Amino acid sequence: MTTLLSVFISIHLSGIFAQSTIVPAPAQTTPIIIEHAIIHTAVQGAAVIQDGFVILENGMIVSVGTGAPVGSKGEAPPTNAQRINATGMHLTPGFISSATTLGLIETQQVRSTDDRTEFGPFHPEVAAWLSVNPDSNLIPVARLGGVLLALVFPQGGNVSGEASLIRLNGWTTDDLAVVPDAGTVIQWPSTETAPRWFTAKNAQEQEKQRRITLRAFDDFFDAAQSYSKARAADPKLSVDLRFERLRDVLDGSRPLFIEAASAGQIESAILWSTRRGMKPIIVGGKGAPAVVDLLLAHKVPVIVQGVLSLPRFAHEDYDSAYTLPARLATKGIDVAIATGDEPSNDRNLVHHAAMAASFGMPREDALAAITRVPAQLCGVGDRYGVIVVGHSATLLLHNGDPLEIKSSVCGAWLDGRGIELASHQTELKAKYEQKYAPKSSASATSGSTPAKSPAP
Amino acid sequence: MISQKIYLHSLFLAFAWNSGAVAQSPPVNGMRPSDVRWDAIEHATVFTSPLIKIDDATILMRNGWIEAVGPTVNISIPAGATIHNGLGKTVMAGFIEPALILNSAALAKKVAGDAGAHWNSNVTPQVSTKDLPPISAEVSQELRALGFTIAAAYPNSGIFRGSGAIVLLGMEPNGTRTIGGDAGQFVSFGRSPDARSENDDEDMWRSPTYPNSTMGAVALLRQTLLDARWRAKSVDVWNAHPTGNDPPVAAAALDAFAQAIGGNERVLFDASTELDALRAGGLAQEFKLNASILGGGGEFRNLNEIAAMKLPIIVPLDFPQPPDLSSPRLSESVSLRDLESWAVAPSNAARLIAAGVPVSLTTSRLKQRDSFPARAREAREAGLSEAQLIAALTTAPASLLGMSDKLGTIEKGRMANLTISDGPLFAEDSRITEVWIAGRSYDAAAQDKTPFENDFVGAGRFSLTLADGAARIVVIDAKKRTIVFEATAADATKTSTSASNISLDRLRGGFVVDGDALGMAGPLRCTLRADGDRLTIEALTASGNSTSFSAVPAQAEAVKVASDEKTADKSTEKPPANPPVKPPTRPDVPLTFPFGDFGYSSIPTKENVIFRGATVWTSTPAGILEDTDVIIRNGIIVQIGKNLPVPSDVKVVDCAGRHLTPGLIDCHSHTGIDGGVNEWTQACTSEVRVNDVIDPTDVGWYRELAGGLTCANQLHGSSNPIGGQNSVVKLKWGSPVADWPVNTAKPGIKFALGENVVRPNGRYPQTRMGVEAFLRDQFRAAVEYRAAQKEFAARVDSANHIPPRIDLELEALAEIVEGKRIIHCHSYRQDEILMLIRLADEFGFRIGTFQHILEGYKVADAIARHGAGGSCFSDWWAYKMEVMDAIPWDGAMMRGQGVLMSFNSDSNELARHLNTEAAKAVKYGNLPPTNALEFVTINPAKQLGIGDRTGSIEQGKDADLVLWSGDPLSPFALCEQTWVEGTKRFDRIDDLAARAPRETLRQQLIVSAAQLKGKPDEKTEKKDTDKKPNEQSDSEASKPHPTRLRESMLGSRDTYLMDLWRRGVDSRSARPAGDCGCGEISR
């Protein structure tokens, strides 16, 4: 009975919020050899390997090279390996969707599916990974677009909470968590007067509001610093969960992700955070080219949000968002690319990178901006983001140039686990293909006039 | 002589105010004041008319009228007249305020509830200014202080706001006095008459009642004008042939407009934007109205088209003020359009006059009325001559009000209204000293300002090394807000320099300083940073070069030694006597097409071209033609072939290695719809027309051209089941709006089903089943409406009967049923798709396209059978419940079932790369690339009924072409050129070349603006809360903000929009995917 009931409930729910029915991939048991692939290792400065191979064992990359597959020390490859002939295909590291809300929200318009924003202005204590729904329908769809890892951001308030790096495969949140505490996300206030269209407040009122907010930031972080010192001196001190979470952000051992768009915001945020000894990463960054010197002086990376987005202002060049990553990267700034979009569109992450490449960013750098760089920003650059020996076997096989929209992901491994390239959407596709070209004898067509209404 | 006697007689009736003549005046409690109204002003400089000036003249006035004027030597002053010495004074005819806006909300509300009221509370032409409370003493005083003696006052509430009245601005015991003349009816497009800035459409949102958009306002205007006409006709018919006709019902509102609709009463349009002004012109022409326009001040942006209307315009002097541009950071958001508007605005009146437009000036729309003299001075500096200025304040408004025989000049028989200045009019050091109103004199008067606190952490003394090794000391005083660059002892030839235009926040600041202070040339705009202990200064020159300086805290002793005494002296000194920067006027900039960002210096024209050796994607069964030439002439493709001979008169475009495709077409766009995308206030708004509100200056168009788009289907939003009529436009950036619509496109209308339409609470329908019933009922109504019209037309005695009323709503619906208008239906779920098909089949018409149609793959066979097209997103989903089942194979699967498919954008962003959207039909669905491209070329063309004109590269079709650097389905293909009907509207090479000059111009304007910001009269900005309650009403506080869907999640509209601003998103284009502007709906 219980079983029946639960089946009923799950079916019923699937009508409302179809939960992903894709089974998480199990751990890798047999070695895998992918050969004759065009390999984009995403290693800085490395050339594309034309006829390359990788050998994956126990979830790790154990060998990478050109021509016939051999072990990292030149030994013969494992004989029990599954061999994949990838002739004409491209191999890249798994993509990392940065500054996303994947898993925290299913659909914007149903409040009960939205766990992005905690109440109030300061909530550093909340951590994104805790709320990620491993069965979100959005996750398999993102995977089909090559997104295997996600740096999930809480949103809202002044201090939004803790960002978490998750892997998009697993039964539970614990399975998903890679770096639960990747850094603290804050929302920097606007520093420029908004035109009247945006607000009824005049310049003075806006400035007053800005000062109040900046003062609130100062007060909060002053208190957090005092707490940190006091707590170090007296471990018996009552624990403040908010400040506790900030301790290693304050000393710069974990990054501070600062959402800031305009040059003024970026400038102000960097001056503020570095003065306090923190390690800022700018998220958004549209105005960053105007403060490149400051970004360089303090070695601040930028997560560019939304290459496929509109210029902010009427006078900006039509391609200003397209060229932004190139304009920053050519100055020597570490650039990661994020969609800046709703998480349902995370599958298009690579299209943002492609547009950046089309408008001046070297292609391999554009790929690195969704692989190596975000991995480094999360502190897992030694495990993820590049195809080198000793790293996690987190890879994508593409049936064409990964930056071409026409190409698709045709193979994916996450920590060596073979990811099933299926989703609620592929299931629906298969279902309705049956309607039009039934494989069985039963056929179905939709009629337009089965229930005739009474003539008016 | 006789005529004068009659004249004086009528005057006496009109102005009998003397002593006990006013029956309602209270009895005098004490001594009666003497009231000898017999005055002479001697030895003044008198402008008897704008062009005639008499030095040392005398004006003689009696009982409120002018008796005589002339050289003092020629005028004999009768005994008993009070003599006023006018020596040194300039006397002009009393100024006339032609558009004083009064708060009429209470009266309009009352009238809307009276018998004969219109169903819509925005239609209250029966409101009369005469019934409003008198103009407050404060407002009269303000106006007199500016020289105004008489005003045409108007009610401010609604769309048909009511009739105005011409009012004397003197102090009267019982309020104001009105006199004759034709103030006329005041109508609006729903925007506030005192909108504080351009593009301010907030007033649309005043209430959730119809209309809430500009297109709704135009529709209401048009329907009401038709109704007023019909009303007059029905009354005539009834009076002549009562038998067999229904007696007309009470219609006080329509009756109040009867004179205006017949052209016998003036109609003043409140057109706060230049696009509204053009709309007013259109309506005036359509209904033959005696129209004039209360402008918004931005008419120069559309000068030619507005001048061509030949309508009198009342011009405000509300010039955009320079934004705070002290630091480069602050200027980041300022568009060239805003800067050019700032630069050009003062010349608006002069330009209109030069173009032959009758111009009057008004104090309306000024944030502070007392800034009028300063603004007028700017207008003069910008080309308005003294005579033109005086005329625009006297003879022009007098003529506009039909009172040239009584007002506007100083001559015998004119009203004794005078404006007196102690020097040349509105000169820097002269002021209005007094005004005379109907023979009584009134003094003029003045006002104050506000401070600010500071907490900049980097205050103090810093030493700075310049590029040439020289040293400076910078002293920053946060409290006093001063920044002084001091010379050091080692560099004693230099003097100290003070910065101006200083802004400081906690960690950063900005200022403007003479370049000499930093060893550079010209004025510098600087950013200041407190970067740790250091202070960094980034200096930007007018040419846009930036240099950074680093400063460290100065050693106290060293500084003392260096220049202790000197600085003490200097710091008490005022800023340098001769500031380095002078240009006192706003710079001149050429007008472009369109005005502002990315405008062309002239309207682009057609060219005859051969595209040589391209890979041509024809979007025909011929597919791709390699190495092919295409010749275009007069906007038409005339020849396609290999190695065509090059005609001598065509331009050659070398296309080697390039791809040529048809211009891309967006079957679902909301770009360039002015004043709201949704008229959501009623479930059916089939009468509204997007065509009425096309904004050809929306920068979105240019960006879309840069992505190869040439044609768009501008759709109403999806907040109601039956939305508005669509508009199919070609993207003719730079050309007047009249050129944009594709007139041969099949007329269409937006319908919507599903979640969006049931969102507005408290109205039918609230369910999908209710939507079906509602649509069925509406179609029935249309059928019956048309039948009644046909029946009437068939009557032999139709002249004796009241004709059926023209109902624009039912007209559009009847056209649908007749197959003359196609439905573009926003729809997602399969059940609702089948519902509409069933309904259409039943009424016997075919649906044009299903839009979004993301569950279309589930019932593609039924859609194909009905013959509707489908236009979907390539891959959007999950933004709401009804799209949880959306799949990216939708387009290809529907096509597989035989549905004519297109991909659309519904977004200003996606519309910029529909080519790569089309590529997703290859990725998902495996379509051949040529078929995928057809999703954004010939297929949408066919869906819009323009497949015979555009959408493919074929001989005889419009030359709508895009030149790509490579395979158009690749993100690596750059759009190099976009041609619309043989005119090149975008060229990437030109675009790249124009960037540096454009930015230079922007920077130059910023520098000019930053310099002018320092001028004292620019600085004072009174708080809005200082406004008097009776003044131009609709204060910020009383104005509810637009409400948006997300607002309910995020608190107020301000919070929502400011969050977008903070995140660097242009709120004007921030619309959730697939929501068709429905984020803008409410509650």
Side-chain angles (χ1 to χ4, degrees), chain B residues 415-437:
Chain B
M415 198 177 284
N417 288 356
L418 305 174
T419 298
I420 303 181
S421 168
D422 61 3
L425 178 57
F426 298 144
E428 191 105 36
D429 50 0
S430 64
R431 56 184 198 97
I432 304 290
T433 55
E434 61 182 301
V435 293
W436 287 69
I437 299 173

Short mmCIF file of all heavy atoms in Angstrom, two decimals, chain B residues 415-437:
data_model
loop_
_atom_site.label_atom_id
_atom_site.label_comp_id
_atom_site.label_asym_id
_atom_site.label_seq_id
_atom_site.Cartn_x
_atom_site.Cartn_y
_atom_site.Cartn_z
N MET B 415 -5.24 95.48 -23.54
CA MET B 415 -5.34 95.40 -22.09
C MET B 415 -4.03 95.91 -21.47
O MET B 415 -2.95 95.68 -22.03
CB MET B 415 -5.57 93.95 -21.69
CG MET B 415 -6.11 93.79 -20.29
SD MET B 415 -6.43 92.06 -19.92
CE MET B 415 -7.94 91.83 -20.81
N ALA B 416 -4.18 96.58 -20.34
CA ALA B 416 -2.98 97.16 -19.71
C ALA B 416 -2.24 96.09 -18.93
O ALA B 416 -2.19 96.10 -17.71
CB ALA B 416 -3.38 98.33 -18.82
N ASN B 417 -1.69 95.15 -19.68
CA ASN B 417 -0.85 94.10 -19.09
C ASN B 417 0.58 94.38 -19.53
O ASN B 417 0.87 94.42 -20.72
CB ASN B 417 -1.26 92.73 -19.63
CG ASN B 417 -2.59 92.26 -19.07
OD1 ASN B 417 -3.18 92.92 -18.22
ND2 ASN B 417 -3.04 91.12 -19.56
N LEU B 418 1.45 94.61 -18.55
CA LEU B 418 2.82 94.97 -18.89
C LEU B 418 3.79 94.14 -18.06
O LEU B 418 3.48 93.72 -16.93
CB LEU B 418 3.07 96.46 -18.56
CG LEU B 418 2.12 97.48 -19.19
CD1 LEU B 418 2.44 98.86 -18.63
CD2 LEU B 418 2.27 97.47 -20.71
N THR B 419 4.93 93.92 -18.66
CA THR B 419 5.99 93.24 -17.93
C THR B 419 7.20 94.16 -17.96
O THR B 419 7.60 94.63 -19.03
CB THR B 419 6.31 91.90 -18.59
OG1 THR B 419 5.15 91.08 -18.53
CG2 THR B 419 7.46 91.20 -17.90
N ILE B 420 7.75 94.41 -16.77
CA ILE B 420 8.81 95.41 -16.69
C ILE B 420 10.08 94.80 -16.13
O ILE B 420 10.07 94.11 -15.10
CB ILE B 420 8.36 96.60 -15.80
CG1 ILE B 420 7.06 97.17 -16.39
CG2 ILE B 420 9.46 97.65 -15.71
CD1 ILE B 420 6.53 98.36 -15.65
N SER B 421 11.14 95.03 -16.83
CA SER B 421 12.45 94.49 -16.44
C SER B 421 13.39 95.66 -16.20
O SER B 421 13.24 96.72 -16.83
CB SER B 421 12.96 93.60 -17.57
OG SER B 421 14.31 93.28 -17.36
N ASP B 422 14.36 95.50 -15.28
CA ASP B 422 15.28 96.61 -15.02
C ASP B 422 16.48 96.59 -15.96
O ASP B 422 17.50 97.20 -15.70
CB ASP B 422 15.71 96.65 -13.55
CG ASP B 422 16.45 95.39 -13.15
OD1 ASP B 422 16.67 94.52 -14.04
OD2 ASP B 422 16.78 95.24 -11.96
N GLY B 423 16.40 95.82 -17.00
CA GLY B 423 17.47 95.77 -17.99
C GLY B 423 16.97 94.94 -19.15
O GLY B 423 15.78 94.61 -19.21
N PRO B 424 17.88 94.56 -20.06
CA PRO B 424 17.45 93.72 -21.16
C PRO B 424 16.79 92.44 -20.63
O PRO B 424 17.21 91.91 -19.60
CB PRO B 424 18.76 93.39 -21.89
CG PRO B 424 19.70 94.46 -21.47
CD PRO B 424 19.30 94.88 -20.09
N LEU B 425 15.78 91.96 -21.33
CA LEU B 425 14.98 90.86 -20.82
C LEU B 425 15.83 89.63 -20.51
O LEU B 425 16.55 89.11 -21.37
CB LEU B 425 13.91 90.49 -21.85
CG LEU B 425 13.02 89.32 -21.47
CD1 LEU B 425 12.31 89.57 -20.15
CD2 LEU B 425 12.03 89.03 -22.58
N PHE B 426 15.71 89.14 -19.28
CA PHE B 426 16.38 87.93 -18.81
C PHE B 426 17.90 87.96 -18.99
O PHE B 426 18.53 86.93 -19.13
CB PHE B 426 15.80 86.68 -19.49
CG PHE B 426 14.34 86.46 -19.20
CD1 PHE B 426 13.50 85.94 -20.18
CD2 PHE B 426 13.80 86.77 -17.96
CE1 PHE B 426 12.15 85.72 -19.92
CE2 PHE B 426 12.45 86.56 -17.68
CZ PHE B 426 11.63 86.03 -18.67
N ALA B 427 18.44 89.17 -19.02
CA ALA B 427 19.90 89.25 -19.03
C ALA B 427 20.41 88.82 -17.66
O ALA B 427 19.66 88.82 -16.69
CB ALA B 427 20.36 90.67 -19.35
N GLU B 428 21.69 88.43 -17.62
CA GLU B 428 22.27 87.87 -16.40
C GLU B 428 22.01 88.75 -15.18
O GLU B 428 21.64 88.28 -14.12
CB GLU B 428 23.77 87.68 -16.60
CG GLU B 428 24.45 86.87 -15.51
CD GLU B 428 24.78 85.46 -15.99
OE1 GLU B 428 25.15 85.29 -17.17
OE2 GLU B 428 24.66 84.53 -15.18
N ASP B 429 22.19 90.06 -15.35
CA ASP B 429 22.09 90.94 -14.18
C ASP B 429 20.81 91.78 -14.18
O ASP B 429 20.71 92.77 -13.48
CB ASP B 429 23.32 91.84 -14.10
CG ASP B 429 23.59 92.53 -15.43
OD1 ASP B 429 22.80 92.29 -16.38
OD2 ASP B 429 24.58 93.28 -15.53
N SER B 430 19.86 91.39 -14.98
CA SER B 430 18.61 92.13 -14.89
C SER B 430 17.52 91.20 -14.37
O SER B 430 17.66 89.98 -14.42
CB SER B 430 18.21 92.70 -16.25
OG SER B 430 17.94 91.67 -17.16
N ARG B 431 16.48 91.81 -13.83
CA ARG B 431 15.39 90.97 -13.32
C ARG B 431 14.07 91.65 -13.58
O ARG B 431 14.00 92.86 -13.84
CB ARG B 431 15.56 90.65 -11.84
CG ARG B 431 15.68 91.90 -11.01
CD ARG B 431 15.96 91.59 -9.54
NE ARG B 431 15.63 92.79 -8.77
CZ ARG B 431 14.47 92.96 -8.14
NH1 ARG B 431 13.56 92.02 -8.14
NH2 ARG B 431 14.22 94.09 -7.51
N ILE B 432 13.03 90.87 -13.52
CA ILE B 432 11.68 91.42 -13.66
C ILE B 432 11.36 92.15 -12.37
O ILE B 432 11.46 91.56 -11.28
CB ILE B 432 10.65 90.29 -13.88
CG1 ILE B 432 11.03 89.42 -15.09
CG2 ILE B 432 9.24 90.85 -13.99
CD1 ILE B 432 10.88 90.09 -16.42
N THR B 433 11.07 93.42 -12.47
CA THR B 433 10.81 94.18 -11.24
C THR B 433 9.33 94.26 -10.91
O THR B 433 8.95 94.26 -9.76
CB THR B 433 11.36 95.60 -11.35
OG1 THR B 433 10.81 96.20 -12.52
CG2 THR B 433 12.88 95.58 -11.46
N GLU B 434 8.51 94.37 -11.93
CA GLU B 434 7.08 94.44 -11.66
C GLU B 434 6.29 94.07 -12.89
O GLU B 434 6.83 94.04 -14.01
CB GLU B 434 6.68 95.84 -11.19
CG GLU B 434 6.96 96.92 -12.23
CD GLU B 434 6.58 98.31 -11.72
OE1 GLU B 434 5.40 98.54 -11.39
OE2 GLU B 434 7.50 99.16 -11.69
N VAL B 435 5.06 93.70 -12.66
CA VAL B 435 4.16 93.47 -13.77
C VAL B 435 2.91 94.30 -13.55
O VAL B 435 2.57 94.66 -12.42
CB VAL B 435 3.76 91.99 -13.92
CG1 VAL B 435 4.95 91.15 -14.32
CG2 VAL B 435 3.09 91.45 -12.68
N TRP B 436 2.25 94.64 -14.64
CA TRP B 436 0.96 95.31 -14.58
C TRP B 436 -0.07 94.35 -15.15
O TRP B 436 0.15 93.76 -16.21
CB TRP B 436 0.96 96.61 -15.38
CG TRP B 436 1.75 97.70 -14.70
CD1 TRP B 436 3.09 97.72 -14.53
CD2 TRP B 436 1.22 98.89 -14.10
NE1 TRP B 436 3.47 98.86 -13.87
CE2 TRP B 436 2.34 99.59 -13.59
CE3 TRP B 436 -0.07 99.41 -13.95
CZ2 TRP B 436 2.19 100.82 -12.93
CZ3 TRP B 436 -0.21 100.63 -13.30
CH2 TRP B 436 0.91 101.32 -12.79
N ILE B 437 -1.16 94.20 -14.40
CA ILE B 437 -2.21 93.31 -14.87
C ILE B 437 -3.51 94.08 -14.83
O ILE B 437 -3.92 94.57 -13.76
CB ILE B 437 -2.30 92.04 -13.99
CG1 ILE B 437 -0.97 91.27 -14.06
CG2 ILE B 437 -3.47 91.16 -14.43
CD1 ILE B 437 -0.86 90.12 -13.12
#
